[in-house]
Structures are given as structure tokens and as C-alpha cells.
Amino acid sequence: MKAYELLFFVAPTIDEESRLATMKRIETTVAAGQGVIDNVEDWGKRKLAYEINGLTEGDYTLIDFHADPENIAELDRVLRITDAVERHMIVRRTDRD
């Protein structure tokens, strides 16, 4: 398994229930591919460098996890179709393998 980092943000006006549902969906997708979530950091609200979808702020979350490279495409697909997630980025961490 390889080490990855997922950074995503949701609208700051989203309710806590929807935010938790998004986290649960990410956790189940990683677990379905026999991946393991190592750490979850809630960065909170941050000002965006430029307006995205009418938003000037985002509520950020950083997730460190280990997964097989074949399962990253499925996680990316799930994040793309999740309405609550405005933007996301998955990066491989070679320093944590």
C-alpha cells in the first residue's frame, strides 16, 4: 500500500450532518479498497485565493491514508459526484511509505 493525502473543502454554510455524511462516504470508500485512514485534520474555515462556485471561503479537511493505487480512481470518482465537496486533491506521499 502507498501513502496518500486527500485535501478537500466544502461550503462553510453546509450543516454538520452533511459534512459528517461526506466524511463517512470517504471512509467507506477507502475501507472498501482495504485502505487505512491514518489521520484526519480539520483545518476549519479558510479564505480562498479566488472565488469558486460563488464561494470566498471553504471549510477544509486533510486526510492521510494508505491505499492501493488501483483504488485511488474510485475515491476520485466518489469525490467528484459528492455534491457537498466543492474541490479536492489527492497526492501520493513518497516520504510516508
Side-chain angles (χ1 to χ4, degrees):
M1 282 202 255
K2 307 287 183 188
Y4 292 93
E5 183 175 86
L6 164 64
L7 180 66
F8 71 94
F9 79 88
V10 297
T13 56
I14 198 167
D15 58 53
E16 189 64 25
E17 184 177 306
S18 298
R19 195 167 194 286
L20 290 175
T22 302
M23 278 299 302
K24 184 67 175 167
R25 188 164 189 190
I26 292 169
E27 289 171 1
T28 56
T29 304
V30 170
Q34 283 73 42
V36 178
I37 294 180
D38 301 324
N39 188 29
V40 177
E41 291 181 34
D42 183 14
W43 285 7
K45 294 179 185 170
R46 305 247 174 164
K47 186 168 176 55
L48 301 176
Y50 54 90
E51 189 175 299
I52 298 175
N53 298 335
L55 299 172
T56 57
E57 285 188 329
D59 195 354
Y60 283 83
T61 304
L62 176 71
I63 302 173
D64 293 321
F65 66 99
H66 282 78
D68 288 325
E70 305 87 47
N71 299 322
I72 299 302
E74 175 63 16
L75 179 59
D76 187 51
R77 185 191 72 79
V78 167
L79 288 166
R80 286 179 195 269
I81 63 173
T82 304
D83 292 335
V85 176
E86 297 293 332
R87 294 281 166 96
H88 71 279
M89 181 171 61
I90 304 171
V91 179
R92 177 147 179 264
R93 297 292 308 255
T94 56
D95 60 335
R96 295 187 183 167
D97 284 341

